[in-house]
Amino acid sequence: MASVAAGRRARGRMDYWPGFVDALSTLLLVFTFLTSVFMLAQFFLAQEITGRDTALVRLNQQITELTELLALERGGRQSVEDQLAALSSSLTVAEQERARLQASLDAARGAGGDIAGRITAAQRETEEQRRISDRALAQVELLNQQILALRRQLMALEQALSASEARDTESQARIADLGRRLNVALVQRVQELSRYRSDFFGRLREILSNRADIRIVGDRFVFSSEVFFAPGSAELTREGAAEIDKLAQALRELNAQIPPEIGWTLRVDGHTDRRPIRTVQFPSNWELSAARAISVVRLLIDRGIPAERLVAAGFGEFQPIDAADNDQAFARNRRIELRLTDR
């Protein structure tokens, strides 16, 4: 009994398991089938979507092309409209011009006689202008001949100028040579005059060597005024006249030796001290110094010295040789100066 029951229990458990396996197998088959169906659906859907995308791209391209065509069409239409407007405007202008020309033609037909008269007047004016032009051409020809003559004269003047410049150059050379010769001659004369001046001064030294009141300063003989004049006077004293006689003798000898072409002069300068003098004869030291110089010159002329070789000058008190304010300075400043020089 126990074994029968155990067998039954064993058979009861074996009945459930196959059914479960069958159900599971069936479920797997169904799942696989659904998965396959889903994958197929996905594939066909992807194909459909891809096709639609391609169609959409083509559609967009067609839309773009149509848009461009439409824009071109609109542009062409606008261009045609613009051309049509321009042609209309040109037509209007042409009609207006035609009307104006027609009016001008009518006016010209009406004024035909006047135009003929104007043409005749224009022909006469043209003839007159031609005659004027002929005269102008004749004048131009005359002017050309005159210009040619002026050019010939200008050429002759240029040749003369060139010859003059050549002569001027030669003259300049001669002048330069003469200048050099003159300078040499002047130097020689100056040297000769210096030699004669030395001889004259040497002769005066011999004549006046015993006088302490006569000095030699550079190229001048300086005599104290007291040698020739009393104070405040312009008349030569006897002693002063004797000294002038000695001087005149030396000058006569010098004049005999110096060639006439050497222009020498003996200048006699009168000087005073700075103490003023106011007399009827001598209102100032100017008059006193000049009068003393003139007295010496007059005596030299009386002793045979040519007047053209003598010069008298008065300097008053304005060229002192001693600026001190004492009797010794005053005595030195009162003087007669002799200077042998050229003209």
Side-chain angles (χ1 to χ4, degrees):
M1 288 296 291
S3 60
V4 172
R8 291 179 177 177
R9 288 195 298 268
R11 285 195 298 271
R13 287 194 297 270
M14 291 295 293
D15 292 335
Y16 290 114
W17 176 249
F20 176 75
V21 171
D22 292 338
L24 183 59
S25 301
T26 301
L27 182 60
L28 289 173
L29 290 173
V30 171
F31 178 76
T32 303
F33 175 74
L34 290 175
T35 302
S36 300
V37 171
F38 178 75
M39 291 179 64
L40 288 173
Q42 287 288 341
F43 174 75
F44 288 117
L45 181 59
Q47 291 293 326
E48 183 68 18
I49 291 172
T50 302
R52 290 184 180 181
D53 289 338
T54 304
L56 182 60
V57 170
R58 287 198 300 271
L59 182 59
N60 287 331
Q61 292 176 351
Q62 292 177 358
I63 291 172
T64 302
E65 292 175 357
L66 291 175
T67 302
E68 292 175 353
L69 290 175
L70 181 60
L72 292 174
E73 181 64 21
R74 288 177 179 176
R77 180 180 178 183
Q78 184 65 36
S79 176
V80 171
E81 290 178 353
D82 292 341
Q83 292 178 0
L84 181 59
L87 289 175
S88 297
S89 178
S90 299
L91 179 60
T92 302
V93 173
E95 290 177 350
Q96 293 175 353
E97 183 67 17
R98 179 176 174 277
R100 187 184 65 78
L101 292 174
Q102 185 64 38
S104 299
L105 180 60
D106 295 339
R109 287 174 179 175
D114 184 51
I115 293 173
R118 291 182 180 178
I119 291 173
T120 302
Q123 289 176 349
R124 288 196 297 270
E125 185 176 358
T126 302
E127 184 64 22
E128 181 65 22
Q129 292 293 332
R130 186 183 63 78
R131 288 195 293 271
I132 293 173
S133 177
D134 291 340
R135 289 196 297 271
L137 289 175
Q139 292 178 356
V140 169
E141 181 64 24
L142 179 61
L143 288 174
N144 288 332
Q145 294 176 1
Q146 293 176 352
I147 290 172
L148 183 60
L150 289 174
R151 286 179 178 174
R152 293 196 187 98
Q153 293 178 2
L154 181 61
M155 186 178 298
L157 289 174
E158 289 178 350
Q159 293 175 354
L161 180 62
S162 299
S164 176
E165 289 177 350
R167 290 194 299 270
D168 184 62
T169 302
E170 183 179 357
S171 298
Q172 292 293 336
R174 291 180 179 177
I175 290 172
D177 183 60
L178 289 175
R180 288 191 296 270
R181 293 181 182 179
L182 180 60
N183 291 332
V184 172
L186 289 175
V187 171
Q188 291 176 352
R189 289 188 179 182
V190 170
Q191 292 175 351
E192 290 179 3
L193 182 59
S194 298
R195 178 171 59 84
Y196 290 123
R197 183 187 295 120
S198 299
D199 295 342
F200 173 66
F201 281 0
R203 179 61 177 158
L204 288 183
R205 287 190 187 96
E206 293 176 2
I207 295 174
L208 306 173
S209 60
N210 58 344
R211 297 297 301 263
D213 49 3
I214 299 175
R215 304 187 309 277
I216 299 176
V217 180
D219 59 348
R220 297 168 294 163
F221 268 90
V222 180
F223 297 80
S224 174
S225 293
E226 281 71 14
V227 175
F228 299 119
F229 306 102
S233 174
E235 292 184 6
L236 285 165
T237 63
R238 183 178 299 177
E239 182 183 3
E243 296 298 331
I244 296 298
D245 288 339
K246 297 177 183 178
L247 177 62
Q249 180 182 355
L251 283 174
R252 286 194 299 270
E253 294 176 358
L254 178 67
N255 189 37
Q257 296 175 5
I258 299 179
E261 63 271 12
I262 296 179
W264 66 272
T265 58
L266 180 68
R267 201 177 83 180
V268 180
D269 298 338
H271 298 268
T272 66
D273 58 38
R274 65 183 183 85
R275 291 177 296 182
I277 181 172
R278 292 185 181 90
T279 64
V280 176
Q281 186 178 6
F282 307 116
S284 69
N285 285 322
W286 283 109
E287 286 81 6
L288 178 59
S289 63
R292 286 178 171 177
I294 292 172
S295 295
V296 174
V297 167
R298 283 177 177 173
L299 186 56
L300 288 173
I301 294 173
D302 292 340
R303 296 299 186 265
I305 305 303
E308 65 271 14
R309 299 295 186 182
L310 300 172
V311 176
F315 293 90
E317 71 272 21
F318 299 104
Q319 291 190 7
I321 58 177
D322 192 337
D325 190 9
N326 52 53
D327 292 338
Q328 291 79 8
F330 293 157
R332 294 188 65 194
N333 291 331
R334 294 190 303 271
R335 65 196 187 277
I336 294 294
E337 293 185 358
L338 301 179
R339 177 179 296 177
L340 188 67
T341 182
D342 56 352
R343 291 182 181 178

